[in-house]
Amino acid sequence: MSLDAELARRMYLDMWRIRMFEEEANRQTGLGNVAGALHLYCGEEAVGVGVCAHLRDDDYVLGTHRSHGHCLAKGAPMNDMMAELFGKETGSCAGKGGSMHVADLSKNILGANGIVAGGIGPATGTGMATKIRGTDQVSVCFFGDGAAARGPFHEGILMGSLWKLPVVYVCENNGYQQWVRRENVAVVDSVATMAASYDIPGVSVDGQDVVEVHEAAGEAIDRARRGEGPTLLEARTYRYFGHSMGDREEYRTREEVEDWRDNRDPIALFRAYMAERQWLTGREDEEIRTAAKEAVTAAVEFADASAYPPLAAAHADVLDTEWRADA
Amino acid sequence: MSTLTIRDAIHDALHEEMERDESVFVIGEDVVAHGGPYTVTEGIAERFPDRIFETPIAEAGIVGVGVGAALAGMRPVVEIMYLDFITCAMDEVVNQAAKMRYMTGGQASVPIVIRLPCGLGRYIAAQHSQIMESWFMHVPGLQVVAPSTPKDAKGLFKTAVRSPDPVLFFEYKSIYTAEGEVPDGERLIPFGEAEVKREGEDATVVAVGPMVGKALEAGVTLEDDGYDIEVVDPRTLSPLDTETICASVRKTGRAVVCEEDSSFAGTGAEIAATIAENCFADLRAPVTRVGMPHVPMPFAPPLADSVVPQVASVVGAVRRVMA
Ligand SMILES: Cc1ncc(C[n+]2csc(CCOP(=O)(O)OP(=O)(O)O)c2C)c(N)n1
Ligand SMILES: [Mg+2]
């Protein structure tokens, strides 16, 4: 799917929707309406949006602890997501998952994941299901650079390659693993180089440049859909907020964050790209931001007006209690 | 009726389920080359070559892939070569498979069966002889199945494959070759239904897996003492049929709970606590447990045989509660 003005405007809107959703979720945490830990995606929007722009509804997406952006980009309704963060019964997961477990199976969004690298094996398994059934869905697995240290990264990608499964492994390398700089705990700078061990393409792109992400993701996804196997796609990116709530951010300087925000912001870069091609007028830009803002406002109103789940809900959905062995 | 071993019963059930449902597939180490160490998957590769995947030695990957395939609507039957190696995939079992339905507010279903050859078989010491059912009983969202006879193995396996939720299927190596009658045709055994394997009046022996056969043998010996024991086989440990267990204890007034693994914080601990909570007034003696002492499995055969509970251990325990 090559980039044209219409698609670009849709992607630009998606990036704003994510940016504003995250900022608002952060504000709602401050107000006490969202409990728990949020891992915000601001600064990394180009990755989720650039990749998911290629995906069909029946393609699979699995994520991480930092997956609000992945879910929104794959089409999860914003109202349901905000309600989930609020812990309300109208949430995507009826208030039982929260930020780290947002999922929408009707869109084949199989979920954020609270375990670093926890989605890589299961994403590979969805690829196996596709292969056995002989359909042409693609599975995308997002994970951070920290996940590349864990065994399931190795085991999952190994099997994906062994059976040439239609999976794209997308590493969001933001240079930090919670409060630790990647260079302090990693021996290779680029996660993409690890692809060599699995005999699959390893591609590294500028994760702030949605055009570059989109192009590389397109190649990887097409390759997977053609049945030629996985790609390890690394997007070099940066998160603006702390790892999660209450991060003192002693591991990085304010100047570093400001430099990325001012000079490497994925939304600003994309706006300039579009303006250069006359793909976005000032008015359209304004309309898009207004639309994103209105969606977020509506989502907060929806979440606010929704009820908490009845206490009985805590006891449901452990197993499917309706099911009976039928003979 | 036909006479089958437990190994044959599982093998046949697997073939039948794969024939019945195209979404069932097998994944595990050496499952093609040798049908697994216990040849349970023998013949699958010939009959269903596109639905068996022989894997690298990567347990976390194997179970993780199974979880994902199950989320996508397939029905993976995963073989973990020895139960002991499931520790390499605990995240995939405990954090992924078990909790997906709950965390997604009921959207997700993970119909995965994880087969676990376990316990003392040949003498292969501490890293190839554990059972550890209680680890998984402790986790909500998992179903723990513990067949003791070929009939139960076949019926429970079929239920396991069709269940919409994850199943840990314990296959006790010491009784793989035990023979028994198996009814022909489709017989699904629901989870959560214990079976009284022997009726009696004087004491209830709740026995799990390979302890069922030993309890039945003990029953014969104890007849000479004039004691008539009832043997209850829970068959599934989660869900646990507390009703059948408690009804038996209310009748006999005495309870001995037997498992082959270490009894400290083990399977029997949960059963004993259930009995104590529900049948205290009916008990005429303290609930007694039979199990392995809290030690790893030793290698030397005489040592191994001395720590694994035997028929005599059950006999001794019953005599104690009868005294
Ligand atoms: C197995 C596991 N270990 C540790 C954690 C705690 N934890 C959550 S996120 C995180 C850092 C992850 O870094 P990375 O994968 O680079 O993702 P990022 O947060 O940078 O997006 C850690 C250590 C966890 N959730 N799971
Ligand atoms: Mg990181």
Side-chain angles (χ1 to χ4, degrees):
Chain A
M1 205 180 307
S2 65
L3 195 58
D4 58 21
E6 197 198 319
L7 176 60
R9 281 195 287 264
R10 265 207 323 270
M11 287 165 54
Y12 184 67
L13 170 63
D14 275 347
M15 290 169 80
W16 270 119
R17 280 164 53 89
I18 295 169
R19 174 71 53 92
M20 291 183 184
F21 179 92
E22 295 294 63
E23 287 174 347
E24 184 60 25
N26 190 43
R27 207 174 72 84
Q28 292 296 330
T29 300
L31 296 175
N33 290 330
V34 174
L38 292 189
H39 304 84
L40 300 173
Y41 199 56
C42 293
E44 306 190 10
E45 295 90 346
V47 189
V49 170
V51 172
C52 291
H54 295 282
L55 299 180
R56 309 190 308 225
D57 265 5
D58 66 343
D59 289 329
Y60 295 100
V61 164
L62 289 90
T64 66
H65 52 287
R66 197 181 300 288
S67 265
H68 304 163
H70 309 140
C71 296
L72 287 169
K74 179 69 172 34
M78 190 186 279
N79 283 5
D80 303 11
M81 282 189 51
M82 189 64 86
E84 186 59 32
L85 265 49
F86 274 59
K88 299 299 183 71
E89 66 177 346
T90 54
S92 339
C93 301
K96 289 167 74 169
S99 163
M100 270 191 283
H101 306 295
V102 182
D104 185 340
L105 271 79
S106 70
K107 294 252 166 18
N108 276 354
I109 300 167
L110 302 191
N113 208 305
I115 305 296
V116 169
I120 298 179
T124 307
T126 60
M128 170 169 277
T130 298
K131 184 172 174 123
I132 296 173
R133 290 199 192 105
T135 54
D136 71 342
Q137 287 139 287
V138 169
S139 303
V140 170
C141 185
F142 292 100
F143 50 90
D145 50 298
R150 289 208 58 229
F153 166 92
H154 164 70
E155 298 189 15
I157 300 181
L158 171 61
M159 290 189 207
S161 173
L162 176 65
W163 296 310
K164 284 205 173 352
L165 302 180
V167 187
V168 179
Y169 300 99
V170 181
C171 179
E172 301 178 314
N173 184 350
N174 58 13
Y176 291 94
Q177 308 178 3
Q178 194 148 332
W179 307 319
V180 176
R181 292 180 87 88
R182 171 167 173 77
E183 65 211 46
N184 295 352
V185 290
V187 290
V188 290
D189 173 48
S190 166
V191 174
T193 59
M194 297 170 79
S197 309
Y198 311 106
D199 195 26
I200 59 172
V203 181
S204 192
V205 298
D206 177 356
Q208 305 313 91
D209 181 346
V210 73
V211 180
E212 203 179 316
V213 173
H214 182 258
E215 194 181 324
E219 274 173 38
I221 289 166
D222 287 349
R223 178 182 142 84
R225 229 186 271 293
R226 287 196 305 267
E228 290 167 23
T231 300
L232 175 54
L233 174 61
E234 171 187 42
R236 310 298 289 245
T237 184
Y238 196 78
R239 64 166 158 76
Y240 292 170
F241 285 92
H243 171 67
S244 150
M245 306 3 261
D247 181 349
R248 294 196 302 265
E249 297 189 57
E250 284 158 348
Y251 50 83
R252 64 181 183 182
T253 62
R254 189 174 304 220
E255 292 70 41
E256 180 184 292
V257 182
E258 272 163 18
D259 183 44
W260 281 84
R261 277 187 181 267
D262 294 345
N263 304 311
R264 311 278 316 122
D265 182 65
I267 297 180
L269 292 175
F270 195 31
R271 187 197 306 121
Y273 176 92
M274 290 169 75
E276 212 172 280
R277 280 160 189 71
Q278 265 120 47
W279 285 0
L280 186 75
T281 64
R283 221 177 97 201
E284 282 165 336
D285 187 12
E286 205 145 290
E287 278 167 10
I288 283 173
R289 290 193 215 197
T290 306
K293 192 160 183 48
E294 283 173 1
V296 172
T297 306
V300 170
E301 278 168 13
F302 175 78
D304 214 26
S306 298
Y308 283 111
L311 297 185
H315 305 274
D317 302 322
V318 178
L319 297 170
D320 178 354
T321 50
E322 307 277 287
W323 185 81
R324 294 278 173 275
D326 58 9
Chain B
M1 284 286 181
S2 24
T3 304
L4 297 179
T5 63
I6 288 185
R7 175 265 170 204
D8 292 341
I10 301 168
H11 167 275
D12 291 2
L14 179 59
H15 274 260
E16 288 173 26
E17 289 303 293
M18 288 189 74
E19 180 72 49
R20 185 188 62 80
D21 181 351
E22 285 194 342
S23 65
V24 182
F25 74 95
V26 170
I27 177 167
E29 294 162 13
D30 293 274
V31 290
V32 172
H34 195 263
Y38 299 93
T39 66
V40 172
T41 59
E42 204 169 50
I44 299 290
E46 289 72 34
R47 250 179 105 184
F48 310 100
D50 302 329
R51 285 194 274 145
I52 182 160
F53 296 85
E54 191 159 73
T55 67
I57 303 154
E59 287 73 14
I62 295 168
V63 179
V65 163
V67 169
L71 276 170
M74 300 297 290
R75 291 183 178 268
V77 174
V78 173
E79 173 163 323
I80 296 295
M81 183 181 272
Y82 287 85
L83 159 288
D84 311 71
F85 313 153
I86 195 69
T87 53
C88 301
M90 282 308 267
D91 174 59
E92 287 67 22
V93 176
V94 171
N95 289 319
Q96 311 296 339
K99 298 185 172 72
M100 282 297 161
R101 178 182 296 283
Y102 193 83
M103 296 189 303
T104 60
Q107 296 177 78
S109 175
V110 184
I112 187 175
V113 180
I114 303 176
R115 296 185 33 242
L116 301 166
C118 66
L120 186 63
R122 288 173 293 133
Y123 296 95
I124 38 182
Q127 295 173 337
H128 293 72
S129 306
Q130 295 164 92
I131 299 179
M132 310 197 312
E133 302 115 341
S134 61
W135 285 37
F136 303 97
M137 291 166 66
H138 186 68
V139 179
L142 299 178
Q143 303 174 99
V144 180
V145 179
S148 70
T149 66
K151 165 182 74 81
D152 291 347
K154 187 164 183 199
L156 291 167
F157 190 82
K158 286 179 156 254
T159 304
V161 170
R162 299 183 200 191
S163 167
D165 290 299
V167 174
L168 285 297
F169 197 87
F170 284 76
E171 302 178 6
Y172 303 92
K173 290 175 286 192
S174 63
I175 54 173
Y176 259 137
T177 55
E179 289 189 340
E181 298 272 280
V182 178
D184 298 321
E186 286 272 287
R187 293 292 175 90
L188 272 69
I189 298 175
F191 292 168
E193 286 189 13
E195 186 175 66
V196 176
K197 289 280 201 284
R198 173 195 157 115
E199 287 190 32
E201 299 299 323
D202 298 327
T204 296
V205 175
V206 183
V208 177
M211 291 311 294
V212 173
K214 294 178 197 178
L216 291 172
E217 269 189 62
V220 177
T221 306
L222 286 161
E223 281 168 13
D224 296 339
D225 298 46
Y227 301 143
D228 180 19
I229 64 166
E230 179 147 302
V231 177
V232 180
D233 175 1
R235 302 200 291 191
T236 65
L237 300 170
S238 181
L240 183 64
D241 180 358
T242 54
E243 249 169 64
T244 301
I245 293 168
C246 291
S248 175
V249 175
R250 287 196 188 102
K251 179 177 80 174
T252 63
R254 294 180 166 90
V256 173
V257 181
C258 308
E259 70 196 290
E260 234 189 42
D261 208 356
S262 165
S263 47
F264 183 82
T267 303
E270 179 58 33
I271 298 172
T274 299
I275 294 170
E277 273 178 351
N278 293 286
C279 311
F280 188 71
D282 305 284
L283 285 169
R284 278 178 274 166
V287 182
T288 297
R289 280 182 289 167
V290 170
M292 208 170 119
H294 205 39
V295 297
M297 184 68 74
F299 163 64
L303 295 186
D305 291 337
S306 79
V307 293
V308 170
Q310 311 290 349
V311 176
S313 326
V314 184
V315 170
V318 171
R319 285 185 182 143
R320 282 201 301 284
V321 297
M322 294 306 301

